[in-house]
Structure formats: C-alpha cells, structure tokens
Amino acid sequence: MKLFKKLACATAVALSMGAVHAAPVLNDWVFNPTGGGFASGQEINEYLDVNGNAFIQINPTGGSSFSFTEHAVFNITQADSNGALFPVNYPGGNITAMFEATGTGNFSGSFSFSGGTIRMFQNPANNQYATTAGIYGANLGNEIAVFTVMAGGGGMVDASGSPTNNGQVTVFARAEAGGLDSGYFFRENGEDLSTESIMAFAFTNANTVSSPTDTLVDEVACEYAGFTGNGCNGSAYANTPTNFFVSNNGQFKLSEVPEPGSLALFGIAMLGAGVVTRRRAAKM
C-alpha cells in the first residue's frame, strides 16, 4: 500500500478523534536545487534525503528530568533515495542545513522539542560540506529556507539521555510566507511555495558517534554550539553523559498547514507516516 494511503488512514483516525481538515503531506512537488525555477526542477515524490551530525548538550534538572540543546549540520544530496545526486544533476545545487533547538525529556523515557530553527542553504561550490569552510561547510551560499521548530516531536532516550540505538527522531517545523526563497520549492502545478506558509516534517534515525572527527568537534561543538569543554580547551574530546555527538539520516517532507485545532492530532498522523516509511524501507 502506498504511503499516501497509509497516511490517509492515520489522518482518518485523527479525524475520528475530533480533528477537522487535517492536511496531507505534499506528494509530487517540485524542488530546484539551484533556484532555477519550476521548469528545470525535479519532481519529489515524497521527501528530500538528509544526513548529518548533531552535538547534544544535556542539563539534568532534577529526578529523571533534563533539558537539552542541540546543534546539527546536514547535507541534502538527493530525493526519494533515487540516487540522482543534486550536485551531479544540478551543478551548483549543493544543499545543506543548520539545525538548532532546545527541549526537555526524561532519562529512560522520551524527549520533545520546545523550539528552534532550521536553515537551508544552496552552495554554488560543491564538495565543501564536512570541511572547515563556514561552519562545517553547512552555512555557505544562499539561505533558501528558514523554518521555525514547533513544540512537540522528539523521540526516546536511554538512561544516559542518548537517543535509543537507531532511534527515530521527529521534528515539526513551519515556514511563514516568505520563509522560502522563490525559485526552489513548487507545487506540482507550478505554484511557487515561497508565497505560502508551509509545514515541514523531518524523520531521522539517530545513533551515537563514539569517535567524532577533529573537524566535526571543532566546527560543530566548539564553533556552532559554543562548547568550551574537552576538545575545545586544548584537551582531547570524548563523549560524556551530558555532551555527545549523534549521526542522523532520514527524510524531510513538506505539508499543508493544518488548522490550529487539528495540529496536535495531525502530528500523531505524521508520526504514523514515519513508522510506515521505516517499515517499508526495512523490507527493501
């Protein structure tokens, strides 16, 4: 069964619980990695592929509770896992992203985000991601989209606060009209999404990085997160229970903006869609 049908089922459940006019994920939208417009863009069946690394700082707040901050960098090289890499098929279409957010959680329980920002960039020069250019090469070129992270989402953590092995992390975000640059994101009928408010949903798998590279530590922990502990003060870096790196890979989807009364239940429907996607990928 196609994802859209599964999503329709999940949305129907939300509707039965009292939500109205829950909006679907966008399918068959168009993305142009160089900002060259609709005609030369690529049809996106479901999602953009994302992969990257995050530095997480945890602050125990009493009992089993904690607060956290996360700083992450991402590379976006293709859509729908189709192998049609953007820098190859769209010279100058190297897409990256920066993510920073805060939230709260419980050890051996769940965590959720309270707010943050996702910024996407189009770098005309390829092969600069994972270097010392900019911040890990993730914030170079044209800023093409800014999303505000919404309260909610999150995932499960172990007793130390680290995401459970290969754990699913979900982020809900929203861009107001003007938050997307023109020429990059389009509906299937050619309408430029830069004139609209739009939702974004990111589903990523997170795993602890036991030995992050010196470049990753310098660029993401020391520079981006402003960390001053081990690895940033002349001593060797090592993960600790309160400061650690994770790797992320997953999907970035767009959606209509649901009505306020249906947003929470729509989030449940989106989580169901993420589960369906993971199960389908596992069968491939």
Side-chain angles (χ1 to χ4, degrees), residues 230-241:
N230 290 346
C232 302
N233 60 6
S235 58
Y237 176 83
N239 285 333
T240 71

Side-chain angles (χ1 to χ4, degrees), residues 84-128:
L85 301 180
F86 294 150
V88 173
N89 295 277
Y90 295 86
N94 190 42
I95 305 299
T96 57
M98 306 279 285
F99 173 79
E100 53 185 330
T102 58
T104 58
N106 290 283
F107 298 107
S108 297
S110 63
F111 73 92
S112 62
F113 296 100
S114 57
T117 306
I118 301 171
R119 299 180 183 276
M120 296 176 64
F121 297 83
Q122 179 252 325
N123 183 2
N126 295 330
N127 303 316
Q128 289 190 299

Side-chain angles (χ1 to χ4, degrees), residues 101-104 111-116 148-154 170-174 199 201 263-264 267:
T102 58
T104 58
F111 73 92
S112 62
F113 296 100
S114 57
T148 299
V149 175
M150 303 174 67
T170 304
V171 178
F172 304 151
R174 174 171 173 152
M199 292 286 292
F201 296 85
L263 182 58

Side-chain angles (χ1 to χ4, degrees), residues 15-199:
L15 290 172
S16 71
M17 295 173 66
V20 293
H21 301 301
V25 166
L26 294 185
N27 290 96
D28 303 324
W29 52 285
V30 170
F31 179 58
N32 191 314
T34 65
F38 176 78
S40 58
Q42 177 177 324
E43 183 177 284
I44 310 300
N45 181 30
E46 294 180 19
Y47 57 85
L48 300 180
D49 294 81
V50 299
N51 62 84
N53 292 276
F55 180 64
I56 299 172
Q57 298 168 277
I58 286 183
N59 175 41
T61 53
S64 64
S65 301
F66 64 84
S67 62
F68 70 90
T69 60
E70 178 174 347
H71 291 80
V73 290
F74 290 95
N75 204 17
I76 304 171
T77 59
Q78 63 180 356
D80 302 316
S81 302
N82 59 11
L85 301 180
F86 294 150
V88 173
N89 295 277
Y90 295 86
N94 190 42
I95 305 299
T96 57
M98 306 279 285
F99 173 79
E100 53 185 330
T102 58
T104 58
N106 290 283
F107 298 107
S108 297
S110 63
F111 73 92
S112 62
F113 296 100
S114 57
T117 306
I118 301 171
R119 299 180 183 276
M120 296 176 64
F121 297 83
Q122 179 252 325
N123 183 2
N126 295 330
N127 303 316
Q128 289 190 299
Y129 182 78
T131 71
T132 58
I135 297 178
Y136 207 65
N139 64 333
L140 303 174
N142 306 315
E143 184 178 85
I144 65 172
V146 179
F147 292 88
T148 299
V149 175
M150 303 174 67
M156 303 300 294
V157 296
D158 61 22
S160 70
S162 297
T164 54
N165 187 43
N166 205 34
Q168 182 81 8
V169 177
T170 304
V171 178
F172 304 151
R174 174 171 173 152
E176 300 299 338
L180 309 183
D181 273 14
S182 62
Y184 291 90
F185 304 85
F186 300 88
R187 291 185 180 276
E188 61 180 326
N189 64 2
E191 293 180 1
D192 197 314
L193 289 171
S194 64
T195 63
E196 306 179 31
S197 294
I198 198 77
M199 292 286 292

